Amino acid sequence: MSNNNNITTSNGAPVDDNQHSLTVGPNGPVLLQDFHLIDKLAHFDRERIPERVVHAKGAGAHGYFEVTSNDVKNYCKANFLSRKGKRTPVFVRFSTVGGEKGSSDVARDPRGFAVKFYTEEGNYDLVGNNTPVFFIRDAIKFPDFIHTQKRNPQTNLADANMVWDFWSQHPESLHQVTILFSDRGIPDGYRHMNGYGSHTFKWVNSNSDAYWVKYHFKTESGIKNLTTEEAEEIQKGNLDYSTADLFNHIENGGVAAWKVCVQIMPYEDASTYKFNPFDVTKVWPHEDYPLIEIGRMVLNRNPANYFAEVEQSAFSPSHFVPGIEPSPDKMLQGRLFSYPDTHRHRLGVNYQQIPINCPYAARLRNHQRDGNMTVDGNGGSSHNYDPNSFGGPKQAGSSAAIKPFKMDNSLIKKYVVPIQDIDYYQAGQLYSKVLNDDERERLCQNLAGSLKGANKEIQIKQVQHFLRANQNYGRRIAELLNLDLNSIPQPSKL
C-alpha cells in the first residue's frame, strides 16, 4: 500500500492534475477519454440521496447509555439492561419534523429524539420525540397529516388553512397542539429538551412476566426554550442554531446528558384502565404510574463525517431486542413498517451494512444475500437457506420469542374511535393546572398568531375544541381572533 498523499481517481489511480481538463489545444474541446473529469462530475451529480419525508433536518452525536438501577432486570430481560453500571454505546439523532433539510432549527415544530443502542443482542432503536404525545393515533392518517405540514400543492407555500383544517377535524390532536404552541414548542437547542418514547412498549423479564412501559429522557442541562420573537431573531442570521450548539458544545469538551426513566404499568392494568393506555395522544398520569430511574445517557463525541453518520443513520421502531416488544398502539404498528421501508428507499435494501447502522456489537448471522451495495462479504461461501445440513446459524428458540399476547374476542373490522371528553381532558388540565398565567397567555398568543392565517370557518371550528377543553382557554383565543363568542356554537362541557 502506498504511503504517499497523492489525489487518486475512484479506482485508486494517481491523478496528475486536478485543476485542468484534458483538451485539444488550450481552448478545447474536452476529450471524453478524460476519465478523471467524467468520474468527478458523475459522482458529483449523484451526491444527493432522497431526503427524509419527515425529520429531514437533523444533528447527531455518539455516546453511551449506563444502567443506574439494579431493579430494571426485574422487568426486562434485555441484556443491555442486565446490571447496574453496564454501558452500551449509542448514537442519537435529533431533528425537526416538518421542515426540509435546509429549514430552520428553531421552527415551532416537534423535535425528533432517536436513539440507537448498539447492544450485544443487536441494535435497539427507540425512535421518539421531545413530546410525550402525538397529534394522531392511527397511522392511516399520517400521510394526510404530514401533507398539511408541508407545502400547498398549488402555491408551494406553507398554508395555515391546511394545517388548522386538519387539526380542527381531529380533536385528538388538541393535547399535542397545546404542547406545541406552549413555551416548549421551540426548544433552545437539542441539549435543553426532554425526550420521550411517546408510544407504549412491552417489556418482558426472564420469567416471561410482561409489563407495559413508557420511556422518559430528562435533560440534565435544564429545560430552556425560545419565545417566538427570540426564534425569529435567531433564524434571521442562523438557520443551524441547534446543530451548531450541539456540535460546538461537545467539540469544546462538554457533554449532553439525560436521566433515563420509565413508567411501568402492570400487564393486567391495561384492560381496565380509565382510557386506552396505547393511545399515543395521551399521557399516563404520574400519580398512577410514577417515574422510575433506570439509567443515564451521555453524548460526548461528534460525528467525524456528517453525511456518513447523521444523514445515513437509519432508525426504526421495529428494531427490537429480546425483552422489548411493541404494544397494540395503532400509530406504533404503522411505524413498524413505514420506517424501514423509508430506509430501503433512501439508502437501499442493505442500509444496515452502512457502518453507522451496522449492529457491530452483535455477530450478524442470517441468510439475507445480494441486493444493491452488498459490502459485507455477502455471507461468503456459507449456504443461503435454512434449514440446511451444512452448519451455520440456528434458530434461537424460546429465549428470543415474543411474549404471547392475548386479544379479546373482537371482530376484525375498521373501528371508528369516537371523540370523547377524555380526548379534551388532558389538554384542559395542561392549560389550567400545569401552566401559570404568563405561560397560558403566551400559549394563547402563539395559537392565535398561527390561527390568524386560517379562514374564519376553520377558526371557529378550532375554538370550539379549545372551549371544550377549558372555557377560559377557548374564550381567550376567541378574543385574540376577534371572534364573537355568542356566534360560536357551544360545545358540550366536561
Side-chain angles (χ1 to χ4, degrees):
M1 180 182 293
S2 174
N3 292 321
N4 63 49
N5 194 32
N6 291 336
I7 295 173
T8 69
T9 62
S10 60
N11 60 299
V15 173
D16 66 320
D17 185 343
N18 192 42
Q19 305 300 315
H20 305 95
S21 302
L22 188 65
T23 61
V24 179
N27 297 322
V30 174
L31 272 66
L32 186 61
Q33 76 176 56
D34 190 346
F35 171 74
H36 179 53
L37 167 67
I38 303 302
D39 188 44
K40 190 174 181 180
L41 291 177
H43 188 278
F44 174 76
D45 294 342
R46 293 163 175 81
E47 283 183 357
R48 294 294 166 263
I49 60 176
E51 76 172 30
R52 293 167 171 86
V53 178
V54 288
H55 299 278
K57 177 75 179 292
H62 297 269
Y64 63 87
F65 166 79
E66 182 174 357
V67 179
T68 58
S69 168
N70 277 321
D71 297 330
V72 65
K73 64 179 180 295
N74 297 327
Y75 301 101
C76 184
K77 67 181 180 181
N79 181 266
F80 80 100
L81 298 174
S82 60
R83 59 178 173 81
K84 183 177 181 180
K86 185 174 178 61
R87 285 190 177 185
T88 298
V90 299
F91 180 76
V92 180
R93 184 178 186 269
F94 306 103
S95 57
T96 52
V97 175
E100 297 96 343
K101 194 172 184 299
S103 59
S104 171
D105 279 356
V106 293
R108 186 173 295 281
D109 195 17
R111 301 299 191 264
F113 195 108
V115 185
K116 187 179 292 292
F117 299 83
Y118 298 96
T119 89
E120 297 99 324
E121 298 176 299
N123 288 353
Y124 171 48
D125 292 349
L126 185 62
V127 193
N129 285 326
N130 72 322
T131 58
V133 296
F134 196 59
F135 298 95
I136 53 176
R137 53 190 169 211
D138 192 323
I140 201 168
K141 297 182 178 184
F142 189 71
D144 301 288
F145 165 60
I146 293 301
H147 287 167
T148 70
Q149 305 298 300
K150 298 292 187 176
R151 297 173 180 270
N152 181 290
Q154 179 184 24
T155 66
N156 199 39
L157 300 172
D159 190 329
N161 274 325
M162 290 168 51
V163 171
W164 287 104
D165 186 33
F166 184 89
W167 285 340
S168 70
Q169 299 193 64
H170 294 84
E172 68 269 27
S173 69
L174 192 63
H175 193 182
Q176 174 76 321
V177 168
T178 301
I179 295 173
L180 178 61
F181 284 87
S182 74
D183 288 354
R184 294 201 180 191
I186 311 178
D188 186 356
Y190 297 127
R191 295 184 294 118
H192 296 290
M193 67 183 192
N194 292 337
Y196 302 88
S198 300
H199 300 291
T200 300
F201 297 91
K202 183 167 60 172
W203 273 5
V204 181
N205 67 15
S206 57
N207 296 322
S208 292
D209 302 317
Y211 303 86
W212 303 113
V213 63
K214 282 185 177 287
Y215 294 92
H216 300 249
F217 291 70
K218 298 294 187 180
T219 177
E220 294 183 4
S221 301
I223 294 289
K224 291 184 182 179
N225 303 299
L226 299 171
T227 65
T228 300
E229 295 74 21
E230 288 170 337
E232 289 174 350
E233 189 63 30
I234 287 170
Q235 66 188 11
K236 287 178 183 177
N238 185 5
L239 296 176
D240 304 317
Y241 175 84
S242 301
T243 303
D245 173 76
L246 179 66
F247 185 90
N248 292 333
H249 179 75
I250 294 175
E251 195 71 5
N252 292 328
V255 302
W258 288 261
K259 181 172 70 174
V260 183
C261 303
V262 293
Q263 289 176 283
I264 295 176
M265 174 186 286
Y267 186 81
E268 296 76 14
D269 283 15
S271 60
T272 58
Y273 196 58
K274 55 192 173 185
F275 58 80
N276 176 10
F278 311 124
D279 182 347
V280 73
T281 67
K282 297 174 179 61
V283 297
W284 297 352
H286 288 189
E287 58 265 28
D288 293 345
Y289 303 102
L291 293 182
I292 300 171
E293 182 179 344
I294 64 165
R296 183 172 186 251
M297 184 175 77
V298 177
L299 302 182
N300 56 11
R301 179 166 62 90
N302 280 320
N305 183 276
Y306 180 89
F307 182 86
E309 298 169 60
V310 182
E311 188 64 17
Q312 291 193 125
S313 62
F315 301 81
S316 172
S318 52
H319 292 166
F320 293 110
V321 293
I324 306 176
E325 301 173 12
S327 76
D329 178 339
K330 295 177 186 177
M331 192 66 203
L332 172 61
Q333 291 285 322
R335 295 178 77 209
L336 299 180
F337 159 75
S338 187
Y339 274 63
D341 190 53
T342 294
H343 305 324
R344 295 180 192 110
H345 160 65
R346 291 185 66 243
L347 303 169
V349 69
N350 289 310
Y351 70 92
Q352 293 195 89
Q353 293 182 25
I354 298 171
I356 193 65
N357 302 319
C358 181
Y360 63 82
R363 184 180 174 189
L364 191 64
R365 298 180 292 264
N366 58 42
H367 302 91
Q368 294 179 6
R369 297 292 187 271
D370 308 341
N372 190 44
M373 295 302 294
T374 297
V375 295
D376 66 348
N378 203 34
S381 61
S382 63
H383 289 73
N384 60 352
Y385 62 93
D386 178 69
N388 68 63
S389 303
F390 305 97
K394 304 294 185 183
Q395 298 174 157
S398 59
S399 65
I402 67 167
K403 168 76 174 178
F405 183 76
K406 185 177 181 180
M407 300 295 293
D408 59 22
N409 296 319
S410 298
L411 297 174
I412 295 176
K413 58 180 281 190
K414 293 189 175 182
Y415 286 88
V416 176
V417 180
I419 297 299
Q420 300 175 321
D421 284 349
I422 188 61
D423 291 309
Y424 296 89
Y425 177 77
Q426 291 191 351
Q429 291 291 293
L430 176 58
Y431 178 84
S432 63
K433 304 295 186 183
V434 178
L435 304 182
N436 62 36
D437 288 343
D438 290 340
E439 291 168 335
R440 283 193 284 268
E441 179 60 20
R442 287 193 293 271
L443 165 65
C444 292
Q445 292 282 353
N446 291 335
L447 284 163
S450 178
L451 265 167
K452 284 178 180 177
N455 65 43
K456 188 173 181 180
E457 178 185 347
I458 293 173
Q459 290 177 359
I460 290 173
K461 192 185 302 182
Q462 186 64 41
V463 167
Q464 286 183 290
H465 297 314
F466 293 128
L467 286 166
R468 187 168 175 183
N470 181 279
Q471 287 286 303
N472 292 331
Y473 192 7
R475 287 194 192 103
R476 180 55 180 149
I477 294 173
E479 180 181 287
L480 291 168
L481 292 172
N482 296 316
L483 295 176
D484 181 5
L485 268 175
N486 295 323
S487 68
I488 300 176
Q490 291 296 301
S492 60
K493 295 182 179 179
L494 291 171

